[in-house]
């Protein structure tokens, strides 16, 4: 298992009351996406425990939901070497 830490800010201010969902997937036949909820740890930082089960490029979609705001999804890639 691996720890993935996300820093959530809105207009430069840490967001401490969001719900953060993380979906990780390797774009390869037979690989299933894993969905986990990130937990707030402090000052707009959220942490999710994910499984990178093999080397390669893992796609991450992090969806941030705040009260009275439109959900925002950010995509990024994590290169895994070990």
């Amino acid at each position: 298992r691996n720890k993935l830490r996300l820093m959530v800010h809105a207009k430069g201010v840490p967001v401490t009351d969001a719900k953060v969902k993380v979906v990780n997937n390797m774009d390869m036949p037979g690989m299933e996406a894993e969905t986990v909820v990130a937990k707030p740890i402090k000052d707009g930082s959220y942490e999710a425990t994910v499984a990178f089960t093999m080397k390669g490029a893992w796609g991450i979609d992090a969806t941030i939901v705040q009260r009275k705001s439109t959900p925002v999804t950010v995509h990024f890639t994590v290169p895994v070497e070990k």
Side-chain angles (χ1 to χ4, degrees):
R1 306 298 286 174
N2 304 275
K3 300 272 187 202
L4 184 65
R5 186 167 293 172
L6 307 164
M7 297 180 66
V8 181
H9 291 205
K11 298 180 182 176
V13 178
V15 174
T16 59
D17 64 345
K19 303 255 188 260
V20 180
K21 178 180 76 172
V22 175
V23 179
N24 68 310
N25 188 30
M26 180 176 269
D27 189 19
M28 224 175 144
M31 298 294 287
E32 291 188 23
E34 174 186 35
T35 302
V36 295
V37 174
K39 295 181 179 2
I41 51 175
K42 68 174 185 169
D43 299 331
S45 292
Y46 294 78
E47 190 171 85
T49 301
V50 298
F52 296 129
T53 56
M54 62 187 300
K55 292 192 316 186
W58 286 81
I60 305 291
D61 288 312
T63 301
I64 298 105
V65 180
Q66 281 185 276
R67 284 182 290 132
K68 300 181 182 181
S69 296
T70 303
V72 175
T73 299
V74 178
H75 177 82
F76 56 96
T77 301
V78 175
V80 175
E81 296 185 12
K82 291 185 180 185

